[in-house]
Amino acid sequence: MIGEAENGSLAVGVWGISSSGVAGQFSGNVNVTGSLSKAGGSFKIDHPIDPSNKYLFHSFVESPDMKNIYDGVAELDGQGEAVVQLPPWFGVLNKEFRYQLTCIGGFAPVYIAEEISENRFKIAGGKLGMKVSWMVTGIRQDAWANANRIPVEEEKPVQERGYYLHPELYGHSPEKSIDAARHPDITKRKSQSPTKLAEARQ
């Protein structure tokens, strides 16, 4: 089955809608070659402690940037230092680095002695055997990311102004939803009772 739409920027190739269940269900892998927009997101797995009776949810980490997160634990040497080696593709994929360091089991004035260069950075200021938890973030700079930066804010198209993704959260009825603005005929049919729909078909 193929869904296709070529009549403008608001065209939708496949549109699923449900007022009580789920609008779409995928039981296998899903591949998206473009960008993905959502109101929220999480993973849902069988609960590690009670997998037969419970689910476990975690929310996604969100950012206004195309941000990647890397972390680990480094053990300091006799000079109170450690060099953290990052993957060989790190510098090609990322830019605008940010650092966080936390000592484990004690306090020391640890700091970034050498910033990231040739996919490595240096921690110093600690003491022999101390463990330091580190985290580094970077913003994607690969070809696709550079060509498709996510807009943090944008004006709604004229036909969607006065409508909402979630109108009920702003005290409005479903008729004020973005779906109603984009697909008024389908939304109207959805709001009708099964009896009225049967009568309309006769």
Side-chain angles (χ1 to χ4, degrees):
M1 182 178 68
I2 296 177
E4 186 174 357
E6 299 179 352
N7 57 339
S9 61
L10 299 179
V12 178
V14 178
W15 187 39
I17 187 167
S18 173
S19 59
S20 57
V22 295
Q25 178 75 40
F26 300 93
S27 297
N29 296 330
V30 178
N31 184 49
V32 179
T33 58
S35 60
L36 177 67
S37 299
K38 55 187 176 50
S42 69
F43 74 65
K44 175 184 178 181
I45 63 172
D46 294 319
H47 200 292
I49 296 176
D50 190 1
S52 63
N53 296 303
K54 294 182 179 180
Y55 292 115
L56 179 69
F57 295 85
H58 270 30
S59 178
F60 295 153
V61 176
E62 310 285 0
S63 168
D65 301 308
M66 291 181 172
K67 186 165 289 190
N68 294 317
I69 300 174
Y70 308 85
D71 58 14
V73 176
E75 186 170 335
L76 307 185
D77 60 18
Q79 283 71 48
E81 301 174 346
V83 173
V84 176
Q85 182 67 53
L86 299 164
W89 39 259
F90 180 88
V92 178
L93 178 62
N94 297 285
K95 64 178 181 177
E96 299 183 28
F97 312 121
R98 302 290 184 270
Y99 310 83
Q100 288 189 23
L101 301 175
T102 304
C103 298
I104 299 174
F107 172 78
V110 295
Y111 60 96
I112 301 296
E114 296 178 9
E115 294 191 65
I116 293 173
S117 177
E118 297 183 353
N119 301 313
R120 68 182 68 186
F121 68 94
K122 185 177 180 180
I123 301 170
K127 49 191 176 184
L128 174 64
M130 171 173 276
K131 291 183 178 180
V132 176
S133 175
W134 60 266
M135 182 172 71
V136 171
T137 66
I139 296 175
R140 284 177 57 182
Q141 64 171 354
D142 57 280
W144 194 93
N146 287 338
N148 297 275
R149 289 295 169 194
I150 297 173
V152 179
E153 296 180 298
E154 66 178 7
E155 297 289 337
K156 290 182 178 179
V158 173
Q159 62 267 41
E160 294 182 5
R161 293 178 187 175
Y163 293 85
Y164 307 82
L165 292 170
H166 303 282
E168 69 281 1
L169 301 180
Y170 298 93
H172 296 289
S173 66
E175 286 73 22
K176 299 298 289 183
S177 71
I178 293 295
D179 288 340
R182 292 178 177 175
H183 310 283
D185 295 338
I186 298 175
T187 306
K188 183 178 179 180
R189 290 203 306 270
K190 173 179 172 288
S191 64
Q192 292 178 337
S193 67
T195 301
K196 290 183 179 180
L197 285 173
E199 291 174 351
R201 295 191 183 102
Q202 293 178 353

